[in-house]
Amino acid sequence: MKVAVVGSGGREHALVTALSQSPKCSAIVAMPGNGGMAGLAECVDIKAADVAGIVAYCAQNGVDYVVVAPEDPLALGLVDALAEVGIPAFGPSAAAARIEASKVFSKALMENYGIPTAAHKSFTQMGPAMAYILQQGRWPVVVKADGLATGKGVLICQNEAEAENALKALFEERRFGAAGASVVVEEFLTGPEVSVLAFCDGEAVVPMLSSMDHKRIYDGDKGPNTGGMGAIAPNPFYTPQMAARCMEEIFLPTMRALAAESAPFKGCLYFGLMLCADGPKVIEYNCRFGDPETQVVLPLLESDLLEIMLACTEGRLTPGMVRFAPGAAACVVIASGGYPGAVQVGFPIKGLAAAEGIPGVHVYHAGTRQSGGQVLTAGGRVLGVAAGAPTLQEALALAYQGVAEITFEGAQYRTDIGKVALEAMQ
Ligand code: AMP
Ligand code: GLY
């Protein structure tokens, strides 16, 4: 089969790597792909959000199956548009992608179907939102943009002044554009966070190995939220008992709720969970694989990814199809200076070959491009250095060994990926 992968990040590099190992997969094209995929995929310069361009390319170039990785094309209806021309794809319809694309939608879904989440209210105006916050009289309070904001649309406010600034940024300055036209105000929850990616076929839901993201930019979970600065799998807080509870209280009810709303979910559903004192709650849903979670989960997948994806698309997914290897994986993201704010790009990256030469280490490219035999930085998150090993400690040591080999101007990374997990295991 000729498979197209839509997207360009580290997650897509991990997807391409896993798909390339399937005996069923004869060729891969990536749209637009990145500088690390050479040898695995042909990169075609079509933007991930260019729905018409992707459909036309796939129809004209004999693409048999499309894996849509990022949220934007899913929310724009790429899977629906491909179906119209008879090309099957992995990913939800636009209707089902609303579970990520609109927090107002996902919060209402959870409320209506009794799925545990933070207490909340949605607003379209500053005055009523501020009045509600003051009425709660509890700090901190969480203010979220309704729409897609690449993981940065969540503002945690410690006091009245911060809440006012957050609401102003969303409603008046439109920091997240139309994504902030509606705002969700919610209760601040505490507890360990767990990411669970799950294969879904519209009805059945089969969770993958759990993982833990590290969302803040600086060590010790300080600084603003990012798209993710590192990840480990499995997540030690997610015990088998907790997994069973999440299946009953969250995963199955979510699948049923979406089906009841005429939006059955096919693809990878990402459950961002917080394990609170009174039980697990949904912090966020994503309608796709997580980044950088995918870079630690897929390397431990023993089964054929393409076979599983096809089963999801065709509505014949069973738990037996999804097997993981024992052991652990870690991924450390190296970002450009200034990220998650504005960044400068175009700096040469050194040490890639040395890092990749370490047995067990994989370097996933995110924001890179090839130019005249050099690999240059081309985005906020540049690389994810990942490693698998029998234990988390070994996986982390290997990943950081790889990181130590790589340099570029302004490079920044967290030095404490996996620390919380290791402490929890002691
Ligand atoms: P989201 O984009 O909704 O996943 O939010 C990004 C991050 O903000 C989450 O991973 C949490 O660390 C934090 N966060 C979001 N909502 C809450 C909440 N209600 N209480 C505490 N932290 C939150
Ligand atoms: N790692 C968080 C996300 O993929 O949204």
Side-chain angles (χ1 to χ4, degrees):
M1 289 179 99
K2 184 167 176 180
V3 180
V5 174
V6 175
S8 63
R11 164 186 60 200
E12 286 77 0
H13 192 183
L15 285 165
V16 164
T17 304
L19 288 166
S20 71
Q21 288 154 9
S22 170
K24 257 208 168 119
C25 179
S26 55
I28 304 179
V29 286
M31 295 175 216
N34 67 41
M37 294 178 189
L40 295 176
E42 178 196 348
C43 293
V44 176
D45 192 17
I46 301 177
K47 295 234 164 18
D50 180 359
V51 170
I54 292 168
V55 172
Y57 179 91
C58 293
Q60 286 156 18
N61 291 274
V63 170
D64 299 299
Y65 190 61
V66 183
V67 176
V68 186
E71 62 272 22
D72 304 33
L74 292 167
L76 289 170
L78 177 55
V79 171
D80 313 74
L82 286 163
E84 273 172 33
V85 299
I87 302 175
F90 181 83
S93 63
R98 281 180 300 166
I99 197 158
E100 171 173 4
S102 168
K103 290 201 195 280
V104 172
F105 173 82
S106 65
K107 286 304 246 185
L109 190 83
M110 290 186 269
E111 190 164 83
N112 295 339
Y113 292 88
I115 298 163
T117 187
H120 70 283
K121 224 171 143 130
S122 305
F123 297 92
T124 52
Q125 283 178 326
M126 172 116 190
M130 197 62 211
Y132 173 77
I133 290 175
L134 293 177
Q135 189 194 327
Q136 303 303 305
R138 231 178 320 154
W139 305 97
V141 73
V142 183
V143 173
K144 297 184 175 183
D146 171 51
L148 300 175
T150 62
K152 297 162 204 156
V154 175
L155 303 160
I156 295 169
C157 313
Q158 302 294 340
N159 52 48
E160 191 174 336
E162 286 186 17
E164 207 164 310
N165 284 338
L167 292 174
K168 270 197 191 134
L170 293 166
F171 282 130
E172 290 173 10
E173 296 156 25
R174 285 294 173 102
R175 190 186 299 167
F176 300 104
S182 291
V183 163
V184 173
V185 175
E186 68 176 41
E187 163 197 20
F188 180 79
L189 300 176
T190 53
E193 281 189 58
V194 181
S195 304
V196 179
L197 315 179
F199 291 111
C200 304
D201 75 351
E203 235 173 84
V205 50
V206 179
M208 297 174 227
L209 210 58
S210 63
S211 54
M212 185 193 291
D213 190 5
H214 297 66
K215 285 212 167 90
R216 305 295 193 104
I217 183 75
Y218 302 126
D219 281 9
D221 282 328
K222 301 262 177 357
N225 266 321
T226 69
M229 292 299 292
I232 59 101
N235 186 321
F237 293 100
Y238 194 69
T239 60
Q241 293 81 346
M242 185 54 75
R245 196 168 167 189
C246 289
M247 182 56 105
E248 286 312 310
E249 295 176 16
I250 295 175
F251 306 161
L252 288 169
T254 301
M255 292 300 286
R256 286 189 213 114
L258 284 165
E261 295 292 321
S262 303
F265 194 98
K266 291 185 173 194
C268 175
L269 184 49
Y270 170 127
F271 297 90
L273 306 173
M274 197 170 268
L275 309 182
C276 305
D278 57 344
K281 295 187 185 174
V282 176
I283 285 278
E284 66 163 340
Y285 290 113
N286 293 319
C287 64
R288 48 163 178 86
F289 282 92
D291 189 336
E293 287 93 334
T294 305
Q295 293 92 307
V296 291
V297 171
L298 287 188
L300 295 170
L301 179 69
E302 280 181 334
S303 331
D304 183 321
L305 178 62
L306 182 54
E307 296 276 12
I308 299 171
M309 288 180 156
L310 290 168
C312 290
T313 303
E314 292 161 14
R316 51 175 182 80
L317 177 70
T318 60
M321 293 176 181
V322 184
R323 283 184 324 278
F324 282 90
C331 176
V332 179
V333 169
I334 312 182
S336 295
Y339 179 77
V343 300
Q344 262 188 303
V345 297
F347 298 116
I349 303 171
K350 300 204 184 80
L352 285 170
E356 268 154 2
I358 302 169
V361 172
H362 296 274
V363 181
Y364 294 113
H365 290 228
T368 71
R369 68 185 174 84
Q370 305 265 7
S371 173
Q374 271 193 322
V375 182
L376 306 179
T377 65
R381 288 188 292 175
V382 177
L383 299 163
V385 184
T391 66
L392 178 60
Q393 212 145 13
E394 292 162 280
L396 283 164
L398 278 172
Y400 275 111
Q401 222 179 305
V403 168
E405 296 290 345
I406 295 172
T407 52
F408 59 84
E409 196 173 318
Q412 55 166 341
Y413 59 88
R414 280 181 59 162
T415 65
D416 67 344
I417 301 303
K419 185 162 175 249
V420 169
L422 284 177
E423 283 166 3
M425 287 156 77
Q426 271 155 18

